[in-house]
Amino acid sequence: MISRRTLLLQSIAAGVGVALNPGAAGAAGAMSAAGAGRAGAGPKKRLVCIFMRGGVDGLNVVVPYADDEYYAVRKEIAVPPPGKGTGSALRLDARFGLNPGLSGLLSLYQNGQLACVHATGSPSLTRSHFEAQDNMESGTPLDSGTRDGWLNRYMQATSVGEVSLLRAVSLGQTLPRALYGSAPAIAIDSVEHFGLRAPERFRERLQSGFRKMYESGKDEPGMAGLSALDTVELVRQKTSGRYVPENGAEYPRSGRALMSVARLLKADLGVEFAWVDVGGWDTHANQGAGEGQLANRLKDLGDSLAAFHRDMGSRMKDTVVVTMSEFGRTVRQNGTGGTDHGHGGVMLLMGGGVRGGRVHGKWPGLNEADLHEGRDLAVTTDFRDVLGQVLNRHLKAPSLAAVFPNPNFSPTPGLRLFA
Amino acid sequence: MGAIRDVLVPVLIGAALVGFGCAPAVGKEPRAALISKEGAKAPPSHAAVPAAAKASITTPKARKLSEAEARQVLHRLTFGARPGEAEALAHSGLAAWLDEQRYPEQMDDTRGQLALEPFQDALAAPGELLGKFTKASMMGEAGGEPGNEKNLNKMMDFGRLLSFAQMSAIVRQTESRRQLFEVMVDFWSNHFNVYARKGLVKLLAADYVERAIRPHALGKFQDLLLATAQHPAMLVYLDNAESTAPGKMKVGKKVKRGGITENYARELLELHTLGVDGGYTQEDVIGVARILTGWSVERSGTDGPIFKFKERAHDRGEKLVLGEVYPAGGGLDEGLLLLRRLATDPRTGKHLAKKLCARLVADIPPDSCVHSGADAFLKSQGDIRHMLGAIVQSGDFSAEPFQLNKMKSPLEFMVSAIRVLDGKIEGDARRLAKMLEQLGEPLLLQAVPTGYPEAAKQWASAGGALGRMNFAIQLASGTIAGVSVDLERLFPRVDPEALVADVNRVVLSGSGRPETLSAILEKARESENPRERRQVAVALALGSPDFQRQ
């Protein structure tokens, strides 16, 4: 049984502890594994974030096939216009087409379940992966001093009473920057093998021994260990047996993380936010066009998202999936059949209430004069504008002041991502 | 704290700047470069110095280390203390210990060598790897070109090669007496990260650590920088091998359109040298990339892929980087000049000092300690031994607020757990490499050039904590193939109180919190069978929050 225990996050005495987010010290909040029960109060809105690490080439994800300049500067890596043979783009509208690697998502777009927002990104001018990811995940792209992440700040601002330790789950070994902060979040690598692996005869003894020593540990390893023990008990209770996706959904091998997300979301564990990192987008060389390296990575992602959508079934009306990446890539191809770090890119939105079947945003054009620093797709929609609408319209956030404390961007006129 | 401050003042008098690119490897550097406070020249041969004289060279005011100071040294400058090492350090004093550790090539390391043997094949020259790691199904087939990737993918068992390469690091960290050296090898491998799943890097990663990182891990930073810059693993990993001057170029019979790739140039400035706040611009990045065009890889040699400067791919125009003009017509030499400038830039010193202090002192390192390191970097033209000396002797190093204030990385956790139990890696222990991957830090497999993080907040996750508890249970139960621990020898006393006291001393270096010790005692009492009692006590200690700190 889960004990109805409440823990208070405490600041570590100065100098003794390390790196516990000083921002977290003042923001003590109550949390408990028992808070999961709250999920019974009605379908909670859920958000799944997919971070495409490495800077995905937005121009080859949602292809501006009507823009001649695109073909002029991407001789070898341009995706051909719709209907022009193998590897040609899948038509979305009169201007844009989808990379054929994302064919799994085409019907979702056509059914109004998927939307694209083009020329989005961060006002931060850095072309460093690390900085750009940091800027995006902190949610304060022009202020690198922020310690916690935007999603964690949203969680802090909306935790009332007891909150599930599994309110935010990152599928993987570590937490993303966006989830740093005082609100509880956990990284789970595998739902199936979650728990202490010890001989039956003394597993309970170890579990209770660990619990005893971790209950008194207030530092980072201490808090992490206690979360682990609580979560183990909870996940054990709620996910037993083999997972069978619903509606005949078939995940590709690379889609295990999203399958685990579906499993956790269905299991009444109080999961509201799930985070999945996907890598392999840093295509400096030989990125290919409608076929090749990038198209293959996109196929893995697209097929996984399509399987997730099918598996979740009617639950998708309460769930939104949003993709993001730290920056787009250079408009012109480089000397090695790839693209270098750029600026504007593309975000995808899928699920409940999304005004799908549209490519949103203001297209800045690809003529040299229109480009950011003469080389990159300009950003016409700040990523916080997109995430802000997700929080506002989907999660019904009362205010974004705490999440994006310095909203130094102008919302894109007419951008309406939700019905 | 005084003891540490008093030793090893690394005053460098007239240490000749070793010629770029032709510096001797660690070990051949004359010790005369180090001079004592008294100004006496260090004797030419280490071996010839009587122990007493040696001590007087570096530590005129040697005094006994406190228990906490000794613990700090072993936590930060080694991968964890084997039984008896804390006592030995306290006895010899810090100066003698550091002196020995900073010249690893002069230490006997039979044990480390023996443990390495089963994985030695991974350290062969890349050109010889195909013969040693042929896929079972391909045995008896003809060899073929060592640099031809298609051919290699067909013929070679890369999974086995990677696990051998990972294990070669783990066994050395666990078994070698050259602990400070191994700590620095890990530090630099991470600083100059490469990713063994990208293209030919999978053939080159072990060689990269062996021949670019290890020879310079305690040497001059500029030699290390050059070795990484010219190693084919780095050239492939960050794409510089394919970066060329703009314009058309004949490659074999094909005409290829050329152009630069900024990848390596940017990471060179941001991560390897100046640091992200180093004040460079996008123009500088492009300038660096242009200077390094032609720094490429010859793939088809019989020794495997090697560095090659491709004259025809080099951009011969004028470049401007960080305010310095590189006149038109330069070749390989302008790249060497650029690297030398970057390697000795004060901003590089500050960036490196900050990272070293984050590893050795605190996640957010105190300014004074960073200054000491950066200052030593400048005074010694980037001598890593001197930087280490300055950081360790800065008053911060073992100051009370910085004791037990760092969380172990998964690698530090795993290796220290084996070491405190005096565990031995024998034979095929490749499961360890896999377990490290599950803990979140698979060696040679960090895809992003930043390497693995240092700060606790990046490692403290519930999933990670659980993985560590599970590793603790398996190690204490003796169920990890190839790793043997003898709890009976280590903990002869089975009376619960005595057992917990011994576990505290051996596993937790005497610093277990009362809550932790009472939990272990309670569970030890609940275990009737002595064998089980030891296992439970040790598993709980290794999986405790206390053991995650160092």
Side-chain angles (χ1 to χ4, degrees), chain A residues 15 18 127-128 131 173 180 186-187 195-197 201 205 208 212-214 216 219-220 228 284 336 375, chain B residues 239 242 261-263 270 276 282 401 405 438 456 458 461-463 470 513 515 522-523 527 532 543-544 549:
Chain A
V18 262
R127 291 192 181 89
S128 139
E131 277 193 307
Q173 297 277 3
Y180 289 1
I186 182 170
L196 284 186
R197 285 172 226 168
R201 66 179 191 285
R205 215 178 304 154
S208 57
K212 203 168 166 226
M213 53 176 75
Y214 275 97
S216 58
D219 58 357
E220 278 160 337
H284 285 279
T336 53
R375 54 175 258 165
Chain B
D239 303 311
E242 300 188 58
T261 291
E262 294 170 11
N263 204 14
E270 176 187 332
V276 71
Q282 173 63 26
N405 70 330
Q438 284 153 11
Q458 313 240 39
S461 73
N470 276 326
R513 295 171 312 139
E515 298 92 332
E522 183 184 308
K523 299 303 158 188
S527 312
E532 204 171 293
S544 72
R549 288 179 161 276

